[in-house]
Amino acid sequence: GERSTNASYFADSVVVEGFEKAGEYNVKLYSVSPGEAYSEPLEVKINPEEPPYITAYKEMEIKPDFAGIRIKTSNTSNETLTFYVYRKDATGKWTEAGALYTKKQEINEPIRGMEAVPSEFSVGVKDRWGHLSESKEISLTPYYEEEVDKKKMGYLAIGEYKGYLAPNANTPKNLYDGIIGSNNTFMTLTTAGYDFTKPSSVTLDLGKKFKLSRMIVYGRRNGTDYSSIFDGLYPKEIEIWGRNDNNVTKFDPENDEGWVRLYQGVLPRADGSVIPAAIVPLTDADKELARDGNELEFSVDLDAYRYVTFVCIKNYNVGTSRINVAELTFFGTPEDKIIQ
């Protein structure tokens, strides 16, 4: 079919885009007067390259992930691509199982909410002009995922924690008590004189071994008071470590090979930045993220661990490693349900 593209009166070029596939196309160029009088057309031939949605389809890898599948491919444009996922039900009918909308150029994203049973999946790619690729079909089994039971969690009072924790308040138990959106938090204190220019950490016991899939970090938020979100003692640069024995007196991965790093990164604001709220005020999207929590993912290639250490390298505004965190929620596959 035909389509038209207009250029500004002040521009000396025109971009023609949205072709369904690579190939040779005839294009007619007109100059138009302010009174909308058209010139005779200048006909040219152009050869657009392969559209991004087709490239994404060709390069797409579909792999099992926790409670779903993972899509890995590339986006050669800055435009949004949509990935439609269908799953064949017991009657042999394709039913929609989810969708992914992304502008990322390197795509490596999960689509979750699926049972851990052998299934047939079909994934197609669509661009903003409505062009839809063929569907890629694959048979696989999503990994089982459950939330770690907080009633069975505990913590290890190792290293500096014996010093800077208040006797009753600010206990690590507050990190897994299920209370979010109040002042019931875990805040590291300075009373014992710990040097918070060094990383600080807290080690939790998940109750049994889990192959972790993801984790949600909730900062201190008292109702509609968001003053501590992405500011002050909100963790910014973090690491997550794991181990499988509790025969330790301190968190010392440099001298104890029992510790394994599971994650390293930042807890970003809604726009991906790490600018303190004292400099750039919170947006509605930031507040929504504070309510939902910062979610981070673990690699599916990691082993299962029982003890998990949350390490803060630097917080958002004070420039130290002190933290004030309301809750940590973990998800993963318990050891007895891991499929080798």
Side-chain angles (χ1 to χ4, degrees):
E2 293 187 352
R3 68 170 65 224
S4 62
T5 301
N6 297 325
S8 165
Y9 177 79
F10 302 99
D12 60 359
S13 63
V14 60
V15 177
V16 184
E17 56 186 348
F19 292 95
E20 184 177 11
K21 57 185 178 181
E24 185 176 274
Y25 292 84
N26 292 320
V27 175
K28 294 181 180 180
L29 299 174
Y30 298 86
S31 61
V32 185
S33 71
E36 297 192 357
Y38 282 68
S39 69
E40 289 296 318
L42 172 65
E43 295 193 25
V44 296
K45 294 184 183 295
I46 63 172
N47 289 274
E49 297 177 349
E50 183 174 79
Y53 81 100
I54 292 181
T55 303
Y57 163 77
K58 289 181 177 180
E59 296 182 358
M60 181 168 54
E61 297 179 26
I62 307 168
K63 296 184 177 181
D65 207 289
F66 296 97
I69 65 172
R70 180 170 292 270
I71 295 174
K72 185 175 181 180
T73 188
S74 64
N75 178 3
T76 56
S77 72
N78 293 316
E79 303 290 344
T80 297
L81 293 179
T82 303
F83 296 80
Y84 292 104
V85 179
Y86 290 85
R87 185 177 189 173
K88 190 173 288 187
D89 64 19
T91 67
K93 180 182 178 182
W94 288 108
T95 58
E96 190 169 350
L100 170 66
Y101 306 86
T102 181
K103 285 186 175 181
K104 291 182 179 178
Q105 293 188 310
E106 294 299 323
I107 299 168
N108 186 11
E109 300 293 323
I111 298 178
R112 296 200 172 96
M114 306 173 195
E115 294 181 82
V117 296
S119 303
E120 292 183 55
F121 291 93
S122 172
V123 183
V125 189
K126 189 176 184 179
D127 67 11
R128 72 181 182 94
W129 289 279
H131 301 134
L132 183 64
S133 73
E134 297 177 12
S135 294
K136 185 167 290 189
E137 298 182 12
I138 189 171
S139 296
L140 55 80
T141 303
Y143 302 135
Y144 176 80
E145 181 190 64
E146 66 179 49
E147 182 178 337
V148 175
D149 188 350
K150 293 180 179 179
K151 294 180 181 179
K152 297 179 181 179
M153 290 179 62
Y155 72 93
L156 298 184
I158 61 176
E160 57 265 26
Y161 307 106
K162 297 176 181 178
Y164 68 67
L165 293 180
N168 298 310
N170 297 315
T171 167
K173 292 181 180 179
N174 289 351
L175 291 172
Y176 49 90
D177 61 5
I179 300 175
I180 303 170
S182 76
N183 283 324
N184 197 67
T185 65
F186 170 70
M187 180 172 67
T188 46
L189 306 176
T190 58
T191 53
Y194 178 75
D195 182 6
F196 285 101
T197 62
K198 301 186 298 183
S200 66
S201 58
V202 58
T203 300
L204 303 181
D205 178 359
L206 303 182
K208 59 182 177 181
K209 291 182 182 181
F210 274 84
K211 184 181 175 73
L212 291 174
S213 58
R214 53 197 175 103
M215 169 185 174
I216 303 177
V217 181
Y218 297 90
R220 176 195 171 276
R221 174 180 60 85
N222 189 15
T224 57
D225 176 9
Y226 295 89
S227 59
S228 297
I229 299 298
F230 301 121
D231 212 344
L233 305 185
Y234 197 98
K236 180 174 68 173
E237 299 175 22
I238 68 165
E239 294 180 351
I240 309 296
W241 292 72
R243 72 177 296 126
N244 275 323
D245 71 89
N246 60 2
N247 185 28
V248 290
T249 57
K250 61 181 178 179
F251 173 67
D252 185 16
E254 291 186 6
N255 298 299
D256 183 348
E257 294 182 354
W259 298 100
V260 178
R261 185 160 58 192
L262 310 180
Y263 178 88
Q264 182 180 33
V266 297
L267 298 179
R269 295 178 58 166
D271 63 357
S273 72
V274 288
I275 302 173
I279 298 176
V280 177
L282 294 178
T283 64
D284 289 341
D286 287 325
K287 294 177 181 179
E288 181 180 4
L289 179 57
R291 295 190 294 271
D292 294 339
N294 273 106
E295 182 173 299
L296 57 91
E297 297 179 350
F298 297 100
S299 168
V300 297
D301 299 324
L302 294 172
D303 292 328
Y305 295 95
R306 173 169 176 170
Y307 302 98
V308 177
T309 300
F310 180 96
V311 182
C312 180
I313 308 299
K314 186 176 293 185
N315 57 33
Y316 254 82
N317 203 29
V318 182
T320 67
S321 65
R322 287 187 63 205
I323 62 171
N324 193 358
V325 176
E327 195 83 3
L328 299 178
T329 301
F330 297 89
F331 298 83
T333 308
E335 184 179 34
D336 60 341
K337 293 187 178 181
I338 296 175
I339 300 175
Q340 300 296 338

